[in-house]
Amino acid sequence: MRMMIHGGFFTESHTDPETKLAKQEALKRIILQGYEWLQQHSAAETVVKVVELLEDDALFNAGTGSQIQRDGKVRMSASIMDGHTRKFYGVLNIEGVRHPVRVAALLKQEEDRVLGGEMATEYARKQGIEAYDPRIPQRIQEFEAKQKSHGTGTVGCVALDAQGYLASATSTGGKGFEIPGRISDSGTTAGNFASPVCGVSCTGVGEDIVSVALASGIVTRVKDGHSLKEAFRRGFEELKEIDGFAGAIGIDHQGNMWHQDSHPSMVFAAYDGETLTLFQ
Ligand code: GLY
């Protein structure tokens, strides 16, 4: 079994030791809790649980503490891909829910697997998901001062379970101050993709990630015979060609784990049951 998680970027210019330590501690706590869950659950169930834990932590830009859009509203996007069944589920620009990834998971019971906007929110309500305000005072203050929040990030998880199945999930509050209606990569296969051979979750600038189809591109290269490391190298080479800004985590079916970022430094953790690797 293997697990990797990320919490977006922690840009060099906004590094402060306290926040860095808090993020390291949060990732450590969540990956250890998630790995315990993975002992009894499938990868597809586990990535939802882990991303919920990340959505609950206001250190990250997903669920509680999400960025606020230009019109003062929070719109969140999340997706899950089950590498075993090869099914993708997502919600785009959902409002007023605590766990966007949980709503994506509810779509497993439906034929329709990706919902967007107000109708995604309406679907959540019909499924009994309570109204929840994901804004925190700090985000509201930043919004009122017309300041973009720095150092918060999209979250994601990739897991390989005891059966050898892979899954990935990704969740975001978007960029902050975006045009309402903008689509985030986190609710698409460009930002979140898994297959029987590999799972990848991305963070960074959604427009760049979509432009090179980063997650699905890496997974396809592994399927075509490249090593995980080489697949990442090629994906990030394409990203560099457009001067893109992104990071990604990935696990292949043999249990290899890899992460890469275009700029320092992605907030991530990896765990194989023995060794815990944390971003520095
Ligand atoms: N990667 C998150 C976003 O751009 O919305």
Side-chain angles (χ1 to χ4, degrees):
M1 294 184 295
R2 301 282 188 275
M3 183 174 291
M4 293 189 85
I5 61 176
H6 69 72
F9 270 88
F10 191 61
T11 52
E12 289 290 289
S13 52
H14 298 96
T15 300
D16 70 84
E18 294 78 35
T19 313
K20 187 172 188 175
L21 188 64
K23 288 196 174 189
Q24 284 171 329
E25 282 174 357
L27 288 195
K28 184 174 171 187
R29 171 178 52 80
I30 290 169
I31 202 165
L32 293 177
Q33 205 176 328
Y35 197 87
E36 219 175 288
W37 184 266
L38 185 60
Q39 321 247 359
Q40 308 292 335
H41 298 85
S42 70
E45 291 165 327
T46 302
V47 293
V48 176
K49 176 76 179 169
V50 172
V51 168
E52 281 185 359
L53 294 173
L54 289 160
E55 286 174 339
D56 276 341
D57 197 321
L59 280 171
F60 307 111
N61 174 28
T64 302
S66 283
Q67 301 263 17
I68 299 175
Q69 299 196 339
R70 202 172 287 185
D71 62 352
K73 292 191 174 182
V74 172
R75 295 183 183 84
M76 301 163 287
S77 299
S79 66
I80 308 157
M81 184 141 185
D82 182 333
H84 177 49
T85 61
R86 306 179 75 167
K87 286 187 177 158
F88 179 91
Y89 308 90
V91 288
L92 291 152
N93 288 329
I94 193 164
E95 292 177 52
V97 297
R98 181 172 165 192
H99 296 125
V101 75
R102 173 60 49 194
V103 186
L106 285 173
L107 292 169
K108 287 185 182 180
Q109 63 194 353
E110 312 289 351
E111 272 181 33
D112 307 315
R113 299 192 205 126
V114 184
L115 293 181
E118 286 168 16
M119 301 316 284
T121 310
E122 196 171 299
Y123 173 78
R125 296 286 176 266
K126 281 191 183 143
Q127 295 297 314
I129 303 283
E130 284 173 18
Y132 178 83
D133 185 354
R135 293 176 305 166
I136 59 168
Q138 194 188 332
R139 289 292 100 71
I140 295 170
Q141 274 166 22
E142 287 159 355
F143 178 77
E144 284 170 354
K146 295 202 176 345
Q147 282 169 355
K148 205 162 169 167
S149 178
H150 291 290
T152 67
T154 295
V155 303
C157 176
V158 182
L160 173 69
D161 65 23
Q163 307 291 313
Y165 299 142
L166 288 151
S168 60
T170 307
S171 181
T172 192
K175 287 204 293 196
F177 288 101
E178 61 266 72
I179 301 171
R182 173 207 181 241
I183 297 293
S184 164
D185 65 289
S186 307
T188 76
T189 54
N192 185 61
F193 199 72
S195 79
V197 296
C198 185
V200 172
S201 169
C202 299
T203 180
V205 176
E207 285 71 9
D208 297 343
I209 294 166
V210 167
S211 292
V212 297
L214 191 59
S216 53
I218 291 170
V219 172
T220 303
R221 287 183 176 105
V222 172
K223 183 175 180 235
D224 288 348
H226 291 293
S227 68
L228 184 65
K229 188 175 167 183
E230 177 61 13
F232 264 78
R233 193 191 66 73
R234 288 174 182 238
F236 277 82
E237 195 172 76
E238 277 188 5
L239 187 74
K240 199 172 173 191
E241 283 164 13
I242 61 158
D243 198 23
F245 186 111
I249 54 172
I251 306 178
D252 72 15
H253 64 295
Q254 292 171 320
N256 296 305
M257 298 190 275
W258 195 253
H259 72 278
Q260 197 158 333
D261 47 26
S262 61
H263 295 71
S265 51
M266 184 174 51
V267 170
F268 80 96
Y271 190 52
D272 63 5
E274 285 179 11
T275 307
L276 175 72
T277 309
L278 269 178
F279 79 101
Q280 292 304 319

